[in-house]
Every structure is written in C-alpha cells, then in structure tokens.
mmCIF file of all heavy atoms in Angstrom:
data_model
loop_
_atom_site.group_PDB
_atom_site.id
_atom_site.type_symbol
_atom_site.label_atom_id
_atom_site.label_comp_id
_atom_site.label_asym_id
_atom_site.label_seq_id
_atom_site.Cartn_x
_atom_site.Cartn_y
_atom_site.Cartn_z
ATOM 1 N N VAL A 1 40.276 127.712 75.524
ATOM 2 C CA VAL A 1 40.887 128.715 74.980
ATOM 3 C C VAL A 1 40.190 129.967 74.959
ATOM 4 O O VAL A 1 40.705 131.128 75.334
ATOM 5 C CB VAL A 1 41.398 128.397 73.512
ATOM 6 C CG1 VAL A 1 41.853 129.666 72.707
ATOM 7 C CG2 VAL A 1 42.414 127.166 73.440
ATOM 8 N N GLU A 2 38.880 129.896 74.748
ATOM 9 C CA GLU A 2 38.015 131.126 74.740
ATOM 10 C C GLU A 2 38.031 131.711 76.197
ATOM 11 O O GLU A 2 37.993 132.938 76.272
ATOM 12 C CB GLU A 2 36.674 130.807 74.337
ATOM 13 C CG GLU A 2 35.710 131.999 74.317
ATOM 14 C CD GLU A 2 36.100 133.263 73.353
ATOM 15 O OE1 GLU A 2 36.839 133.034 72.467
ATOM 16 O OE2 GLU A 2 35.695 134.324 73.793
ATOM 17 N N HIS A 3 37.999 131.012 77.221
ATOM 18 C CA HIS A 3 37.979 131.365 78.585
ATOM 19 C C HIS A 3 39.229 132.221 78.813
ATOM 20 O O HIS A 3 39.144 133.329 79.308
ATOM 21 C CB HIS A 3 37.860 130.357 79.570
ATOM 22 C CG HIS A 3 37.860 130.701 80.996
ATOM 23 N ND1 HIS A 3 36.769 131.147 81.664
ATOM 24 C CD2 HIS A 3 38.953 130.841 81.828
ATOM 25 C CE1 HIS A 3 37.115 131.529 82.935
ATOM 26 N NE2 HIS A 3 38.378 131.291 83.031
ATOM 27 N N LEU A 4 40.335 131.749 78.344
ATOM 28 C CA LEU A 4 41.581 132.528 78.474
ATOM 29 C C LEU A 4 41.646 133.763 77.621
ATOM 30 O O LEU A 4 42.001 134.828 78.216
ATOM 31 C CB LEU A 4 42.829 131.582 78.038
ATOM 32 C CG LEU A 4 44.159 132.294 78.135
ATOM 33 C CD1 LEU A 4 44.443 132.847 79.562
ATOM 34 C CD2 LEU A 4 45.175 131.285 77.811
ATOM 35 N N VAL A 5 41.034 133.631 76.467
ATOM 36 C CA VAL A 5 40.893 134.923 75.596
ATOM 37 C C VAL A 5 40.100 135.944 76.351
ATOM 38 O O VAL A 5 40.517 137.111 76.395
ATOM 39 C CB VAL A 5 40.176 134.621 74.248
ATOM 40 C CG1 VAL A 5 39.805 135.770 73.657
ATOM 41 C CG2 VAL A 5 41.072 133.838 73.456
ATOM 42 N N GLY A 6 38.992 135.542 76.976
ATOM 43 C CA GLY A 6 38.215 136.504 77.771
ATOM 44 C C GLY A 6 38.915 137.227 78.747
ATOM 45 O O GLY A 6 38.858 138.383 79.087
ATOM 46 N N ALA A 7 39.693 136.445 79.564
ATOM 47 C CA ALA A 7 40.565 136.969 80.656
ATOM 48 C C ALA A 7 41.593 138.066 80.114
ATOM 49 O O ALA A 7 41.786 139.088 80.657
ATOM 50 C CB ALA A 7 41.290 135.958 81.351
ATOM 51 N N LEU A 8 42.118 137.831 78.974
ATOM 52 C CA LEU A 8 43.133 138.579 78.350
ATOM 53 C C LEU A 8 42.492 139.901 77.877
ATOM 54 O O LEU A 8 43.103 141.017 77.850
ATOM 55 C CB LEU A 8 43.975 137.940 77.221
ATOM 56 C CG LEU A 8 44.806 136.667 77.746
ATOM 57 C CD1 LEU A 8 45.303 135.897 76.519
ATOM 58 C CD2 LEU A 8 45.996 137.262 78.573
ATOM 59 N N LEU A 9 41.336 139.810 77.207
ATOM 60 C CA LEU A 9 40.637 140.989 76.877
ATOM 61 C C LEU A 9 40.209 141.794 77.816
ATOM 62 O O LEU A 9 39.854 143.101 77.634
ATOM 63 C CB LEU A 9 39.392 140.497 75.822
ATOM 64 C CG LEU A 9 39.778 139.787 74.522
ATOM 65 C CD1 LEU A 9 38.421 139.400 73.866
ATOM 66 C CD2 LEU A 9 40.635 140.762 73.641
ATOM 67 N N ALA A 10 40.149 141.301 79.035
ATOM 68 C CA ALA A 10 39.669 142.159 80.146
ATOM 69 C C ALA A 10 40.704 143.170 80.620
ATOM 70 O O ALA A 10 40.451 144.212 81.218
ATOM 71 C CB ALA A 10 39.336 141.307 81.330
ATOM 72 N N GLY A 11 42.008 143.012 80.122
ATOM 73 C CA GLY A 11 43.047 143.909 80.350
ATOM 74 C C GLY A 11 42.923 145.024 79.280
ATOM 75 O O GLY A 11 42.450 144.890 78.122
ATOM 76 N N ALA A 12 43.559 146.116 79.635
ATOM 77 C CA ALA A 12 43.528 147.274 78.701
ATOM 78 C C ALA A 12 44.489 147.057 77.688
ATOM 79 O O ALA A 12 45.629 146.397 77.844
ATOM 80 C CB ALA A 12 43.979 148.514 79.475
ATOM 81 N N PRO A 13 44.125 147.246 76.379
ATOM 82 C CA PRO A 13 45.114 146.858 75.250
ATOM 83 C C PRO A 13 46.485 147.340 75.371
ATOM 84 O O PRO A 13 47.547 146.576 75.082
ATOM 85 C CB PRO A 13 44.389 147.428 73.973
ATOM 86 C CG PRO A 13 42.890 147.560 74.403
ATOM 87 C CD PRO A 13 42.999 147.939 75.904
ATOM 88 N N GLN A 14 46.720 148.620 75.657
ATOM 89 C CA GLN A 14 48.066 149.109 75.574
ATOM 90 C C GLN A 14 48.805 148.579 76.810
ATOM 91 O O GLN A 14 50.154 148.304 76.883
ATOM 92 C CB GLN A 14 48.073 150.736 75.556
ATOM 93 C CG GLN A 14 47.620 151.240 74.273
ATOM 94 C CD GLN A 14 48.305 150.618 73.097
ATOM 95 O OE1 GLN A 14 49.565 150.624 72.997
ATOM 96 N NE2 GLN A 14 47.500 150.176 71.980
ATOM 97 N N ALA A 15 48.140 148.511 77.969
ATOM 98 C CA ALA A 15 48.690 148.005 79.192
ATOM 99 C C ALA A 15 49.214 146.492 79.009
ATOM 100 O O ALA A 15 50.179 146.141 79.461
ATOM 101 C CB ALA A 15 47.773 148.063 80.445
ATOM 102 N N MET A 16 48.371 145.781 78.229
ATOM 103 C CA MET A 16 48.704 144.442 77.944
ATOM 104 C C MET A 16 49.978 144.344 77.186
ATOM 105 O O MET A 16 50.909 143.454 77.381
ATOM 106 C CB MET A 16 47.476 143.621 77.309
ATOM 107 C CG MET A 16 47.774 142.168 77.177
ATOM 108 S SD MET A 16 47.706 141.282 78.829
ATOM 109 C CE MET A 16 45.992 141.365 79.202
ATOM 110 N N ARG A 17 50.072 145.150 76.119
ATOM 111 C CA ARG A 17 51.327 145.038 75.242
ATOM 112 C C ARG A 17 52.477 145.503 76.018
ATOM 113 O O ARG A 17 53.639 144.988 75.934
ATOM 114 C CB ARG A 17 51.135 146.087 74.088
ATOM 115 C CG ARG A 17 50.218 145.501 73.038
ATOM 116 C CD ARG A 17 49.986 146.540 71.862
ATOM 117 N NE ARG A 17 49.150 145.913 70.758
ATOM 118 C CZ ARG A 17 49.485 145.701 69.531
ATOM 119 N NH1 ARG A 17 50.715 146.049 69.183
ATOM 120 N NH2 ARG A 17 48.756 145.101 68.642
ATOM 121 N N ALA A 18 52.294 146.462 76.924
ATOM 122 C CA ALA A 18 53.461 146.925 77.819
ATOM 123 C C ALA A 18 53.794 145.865 78.780
ATOM 124 O O ALA A 18 54.984 145.650 79.108
ATOM 125 C CB ALA A 18 53.046 148.206 78.596
ATOM 126 N N GLN A 19 52.823 145.130 79.315
ATOM 127 C CA GLN A 19 53.126 144.086 80.234
ATOM 128 C C GLN A 19 53.938 142.913 79.618
ATOM 129 O O GLN A 19 54.895 142.328 80.139
ATOM 130 C CB GLN A 19 51.852 143.530 80.803
ATOM 131 C CG GLN A 19 52.071 142.560 82.086
ATOM 132 C CD GLN A 19 52.652 143.303 83.199
ATOM 133 O OE1 GLN A 19 52.043 143.998 83.920
ATOM 134 N NE2 GLN A 19 53.934 143.033 83.468
ATOM 135 N N LYS A 20 53.537 142.581 78.322
ATOM 136 C CA LYS A 20 54.211 141.547 77.711
ATOM 137 C C LYS A 20 55.713 141.910 77.284
ATOM 138 O O LYS A 20 56.573 141.171 77.463
ATOM 139 C CB LYS A 20 53.607 141.185 76.288
ATOM 140 C CG LYS A 20 54.321 140.154 75.545
ATOM 141 C CD LYS A 20 53.497 139.454 74.406
ATOM 142 C CE LYS A 20 54.324 138.483 73.654
ATOM 143 N NZ LYS A 20 53.642 137.763 72.558
ATOM 144 N N ALA A 21 55.822 143.251 76.926
ATOM 145 C CA ALA A 21 57.168 143.657 76.621
ATOM 146 C C ALA A 21 58.116 143.635 77.958
ATOM 147 O O ALA A 21 59.224 143.447 77.840
ATOM 148 C CB ALA A 21 57.109 145.102 76.075
ATOM 149 N N LEU A 22 57.477 144.041 79.022
ATOM 150 C CA LEU A 22 58.219 144.082 80.273
ATOM 151 C C LEU A 22 58.698 142.600 80.685
ATOM 152 O O LEU A 22 59.765 142.366 81.154
ATOM 153 C CB LEU A 22 57.314 144.607 81.395
ATOM 154 C CG LEU A 22 57.448 146.072 81.775
ATOM 155 C CD1 LEU A 22 56.440 146.334 82.856
ATOM 156 C CD2 LEU A 22 58.832 146.364 82.203
ATOM 157 N N MET A 23 57.768 141.716 80.454
ATOM 158 C CA MET A 23 58.086 140.302 80.825
ATOM 159 C C MET A 23 59.280 139.717 79.946
ATOM 160 O O MET A 23 60.136 139.124 80.444
ATOM 161 C CB MET A 23 56.781 139.298 80.515
ATOM 162 C CG MET A 23 55.670 139.566 81.465
ATOM 163 S SD MET A 23 55.953 139.116 83.172
ATOM 164 C CE MET A 23 55.983 137.283 83.020
ATOM 165 N N ALA A 24 59.243 140.227 78.686
ATOM 166 C CA ALA A 24 60.454 139.747 77.841
ATOM 167 C C ALA A 24 61.608 140.561 78.289
ATOM 168 O O ALA A 24 62.762 139.890 78.389
ATOM 169 C CB ALA A 24 60.088 140.233 76.373
ATOM 170 N N ALA A 25 61.674 141.780 78.654
ATOM 171 C CA ALA A 25 62.784 142.473 79.075
ATOM 172 C C ALA A 25 63.380 141.959 80.445
ATOM 173 O O ALA A 25 64.526 141.849 80.677
ATOM 174 C CB ALA A 25 62.517 144.007 79.336
ATOM 175 N N TRP A 26 62.449 141.567 81.382
ATOM 176 C CA TRP A 26 62.864 141.033 82.660
ATOM 177 C C TRP A 26 63.685 139.809 82.528
ATOM 178 O O TRP A 26 64.486 139.454 83.402
ATOM 179 C CB TRP A 26 61.694 140.818 83.543
ATOM 180 C CG TRP A 26 60.945 142.046 84.015
ATOM 181 C CD1 TRP A 26 61.445 143.288 84.035
ATOM 182 C CD2 TRP A 26 59.585 141.973 84.582
ATOM 183 N NE1 TRP A 26 60.522 144.114 84.588
ATOM 184 C CE2 TRP A 26 59.394 143.353 85.016
ATOM 185 C CE3 TRP A 26 58.549 141.181 84.804
ATOM 186 C CZ2 TRP A 26 58.215 143.866 85.590
ATOM 187 C CZ3 TRP A 26 57.419 141.589 85.333
ATOM 188 C CH2 TRP A 26 57.319 142.937 85.805
ATOM 189 N N GLU A 27 63.406 138.982 81.491
ATOM 190 C CA GLU A 27 64.147 137.721 81.229
ATOM 191 C C GLU A 27 65.681 137.889 81.273
ATOM 192 O O GLU A 27 66.476 137.212 81.677
ATOM 193 C CB GLU A 27 63.812 137.017 79.922
ATOM 194 C CG GLU A 27 62.316 136.415 79.928
ATOM 195 C CD GLU A 27 61.928 135.732 78.602
ATOM 196 O OE1 GLU A 27 62.889 135.751 77.760
ATOM 197 O OE2 GLU A 27 60.878 135.343 78.505
ATOM 198 N N ASP A 28 66.098 139.161 80.706
ATOM 199 C CA ASP A 28 67.598 139.299 80.503
ATOM 200 C C ASP A 28 68.205 140.460 81.556
ATOM 201 O O ASP A 28 69.311 140.794 81.372
ATOM 202 C CB ASP A 28 67.838 139.750 79.114
ATOM 203 C CG ASP A 28 67.361 138.768 78.151
ATOM 204 O OD1 ASP A 28 67.690 137.543 78.378
ATOM 205 O OD2 ASP A 28 66.708 139.026 77.126
ATOM 206 N N MET A 29 67.244 140.861 82.558
ATOM 207 C CA MET A 29 67.792 141.944 83.445
ATOM 208 C C MET A 29 67.940 141.405 84.754
ATOM 209 O O MET A 29 67.247 140.621 85.395
ATOM 210 C CB MET A 29 66.603 143.098 83.411
ATOM 211 C CG MET A 29 66.594 143.881 82.142
ATOM 212 S SD MET A 29 65.415 145.160 82.412
ATOM 213 C CE MET A 29 65.398 145.951 80.812
ATOM 214 N N PRO A 30 68.990 141.958 85.423
ATOM 215 C CA PRO A 30 69.189 141.704 86.950
ATOM 216 C C PRO A 30 68.009 142.517 87.584
ATOM 217 O O PRO A 30 67.462 143.509 87.017
ATOM 218 C CB PRO A 30 70.457 142.358 87.304
ATOM 219 C CG PRO A 30 71.262 142.518 85.957
ATOM 220 C CD PRO A 30 70.191 142.648 84.896
ATOM 221 N N LEU A 31 67.687 141.949 88.796
ATOM 222 C CA LEU A 31 66.462 142.476 89.515
ATOM 223 C C LEU A 31 66.487 144.083 89.638
ATOM 224 O O LEU A 31 65.595 144.827 89.326
ATOM 225 C CB LEU A 31 66.333 141.956 90.861
ATOM 226 C CG LEU A 31 65.114 142.419 91.721
ATOM 227 C CD1 LEU A 31 63.794 142.147 90.911
ATOM 228 C CD2 LEU A 31 65.009 141.681 92.989
ATOM 229 N N PRO A 32 67.566 144.725 90.127
ATOM 230 C CA PRO A 32 67.623 146.174 90.283
ATOM 231 C C PRO A 32 67.381 146.833 88.934
ATOM 232 O O PRO A 32 66.534 147.796 88.826
ATOM 233 C CB PRO A 32 68.974 146.482 90.666
ATOM 234 C CG PRO A 32 69.464 145.189 91.463
ATOM 235 C CD PRO A 32 68.804 144.138 90.614
ATOM 236 N N GLN A 33 67.949 146.321 87.804
ATOM 237 C CA GLN A 33 67.665 147.032 86.540
ATOM 238 C C GLN A 33 66.210 146.731 86.114
ATOM 239 O O GLN A 33 65.624 147.637 85.485
ATOM 240 C CB GLN A 33 68.631 146.320 85.514
ATOM 241 C CG GLN A 33 68.545 146.952 84.094
ATOM 242 C CD GLN A 33 69.523 146.311 83.041
ATOM 243 O OE1 GLN A 33 70.237 145.554 83.517
ATOM 244 N NE2 GLN A 33 69.378 146.705 81.912
ATOM 245 N N ALA A 34 65.637 145.469 86.284
ATOM 246 C CA ALA A 34 64.241 145.347 85.931
ATOM 247 C C ALA A 34 63.379 146.266 86.699
ATOM 248 O O ALA A 34 62.320 146.797 86.163
ATOM 249 C CB ALA A 34 63.909 143.855 86.270
ATOM 250 N N VAL A 35 63.636 146.443 87.936
ATOM 251 C CA VAL A 35 62.852 147.358 88.772
ATOM 252 C C VAL A 35 62.825 148.941 88.142
ATOM 253 O O VAL A 35 61.830 149.523 88.041
ATOM 254 C CB VAL A 35 63.174 147.398 90.258
ATOM 255 C CG1 VAL A 35 62.495 148.356 91.057
ATOM 256 C CG2 VAL A 35 62.869 146.014 90.798
ATOM 257 N N ALA A 36 64.070 149.305 87.962
ATOM 258 C CA ALA A 36 64.231 150.689 87.361
ATOM 259 C C ALA A 36 63.552 150.835 86.057
ATOM 260 O O ALA A 36 63.006 151.827 85.831
ATOM 261 C CB ALA A 36 65.868 151.027 87.395
ATOM 262 N N HIS A 37 63.708 149.882 85.130
ATOM 263 C CA HIS A 37 63.168 149.781 83.799
ATOM 264 C C HIS A 37 61.627 149.918 83.954
ATOM 265 O O HIS A 37 60.885 150.638 83.281
ATOM 266 C CB HIS A 37 63.604 148.628 83.097
ATOM 267 C CG HIS A 37 62.880 148.551 81.765
ATOM 268 N ND1 HIS A 37 63.127 149.510 80.743
ATOM 269 C CD2 HIS A 37 62.070 147.646 81.183
ATOM 270 C CE1 HIS A 37 62.492 149.064 79.617
ATOM 271 N NE2 HIS A 37 61.691 147.947 79.912
ATOM 272 N N SER A 38 60.984 149.283 84.980
ATOM 273 C CA SER A 38 59.670 149.198 85.010
ATOM 274 C C SER A 38 59.076 150.540 85.487
ATOM 275 O O SER A 38 57.921 150.887 85.130
ATOM 276 C CB SER A 38 59.231 148.161 86.157
ATOM 277 O OG SER A 38 59.629 146.939 85.850
ATOM 278 N N VAL A 39 59.778 151.346 86.334
ATOM 279 C CA VAL A 39 59.266 152.752 86.668
ATOM 280 C C VAL A 39 58.961 153.590 85.479
ATOM 281 O O VAL A 39 57.947 154.168 85.363
ATOM 282 C CB VAL A 39 60.353 153.398 87.584
ATOM 283 C CG1 VAL A 39 59.937 154.842 87.856
ATOM 284 C CG2 VAL A 39 60.478 152.669 88.819
ATOM 285 N N LYS A 40 59.977 153.581 84.534
ATOM 286 C CA LYS A 40 59.637 154.359 83.209
ATOM 287 C C LYS A 40 58.344 153.754 82.584
ATOM 288 O O LYS A 40 57.651 154.627 81.998
ATOM 289 C CB LYS A 40 60.833 154.313 82.400
ATOM 290 C CG LYS A 40 60.831 155.064 81.100
ATOM 291 C CD LYS A 40 62.239 154.979 80.434
ATOM 292 C CE LYS A 40 62.193 155.859 79.158
ATOM 293 N NZ LYS A 40 61.306 155.365 78.196
ATOM 294 N N VAL A 41 58.310 152.535 82.358
ATOM 295 C CA VAL A 41 57.230 151.909 81.681
ATOM 296 C C VAL A 41 55.893 152.415 82.484
ATOM 297 O O VAL A 41 54.895 152.661 81.775
ATOM 298 C CB VAL A 41 57.342 150.414 81.496
ATOM 299 C CG1 VAL A 41 56.152 149.870 80.911
ATOM 300 C CG2 VAL A 41 58.594 150.068 80.645
ATOM 301 N N PHE A 42 55.954 152.355 83.669
ATOM 302 C CA PHE A 42 54.693 152.726 84.442
ATOM 303 C C PHE A 42 54.297 154.056 84.156
ATOM 304 O O PHE A 42 53.190 154.370 83.923
ATOM 305 C CB PHE A 42 55.056 152.529 85.887
ATOM 306 C CG PHE A 42 53.885 152.877 86.788
ATOM 307 C CD1 PHE A 42 52.874 151.871 87.154
ATOM 308 C CD2 PHE A 42 53.679 154.068 87.500
ATOM 309 C CE1 PHE A 42 51.790 152.169 87.946
ATOM 310 C CE2 PHE A 42 52.576 154.325 88.223
ATOM 311 C CZ PHE A 42 51.618 153.362 88.616
ATOM 312 N N GLY A 43 55.234 155.134 84.151
ATOM 313 C CA GLY A 43 54.871 156.391 83.806
ATOM 314 C C GLY A 43 54.415 156.542 82.432
ATOM 315 O O GLY A 43 53.443 157.318 82.126
#
C-alpha cells in the first residue's frame, strides 16, 4: 500500500484531483464529449 501511496504522492496535488474528476466524468461521456471536456480541464 505504501508503495502505491508513494507513486500517487509523486503527482501534483491539484493535477491528481483534476485527473480523478476527469476519470469520473469520462465514465458517462461519449468519446468526442470526453475529449472536448478535457481541453477545458487542461487549460
């Protein structure tokens, strides 16, 4: 578990939260919508 914790802590805190939120959003989006939504999050 600690090894995985270390890998997760190597990511930037706000980027990690944004990535988790994106993963959740992608579950319910068609691919074109998921790609478009990601552009805004990237910015």
Side-chain angles (χ1 to χ4, degrees):
V1 169
E2 178 59 30
H3 180 81
L4 178 53
V5 167
L8 295 169
L9 291 177
Q14 295 306 312
M16 189 66 74
R17 286 177 176 241
Q19 190 68 73
K20 177 166 180 175
L22 267 178
M23 294 290 290
W26 288 343
E27 289 181 2
D28 300 315
M29 290 182 178
L31 181 58
Q33 185 181 352
V35 171
H37 176 66
S38 300
V39 171
K40 183 175 184 292
V41 175
F42 183 83

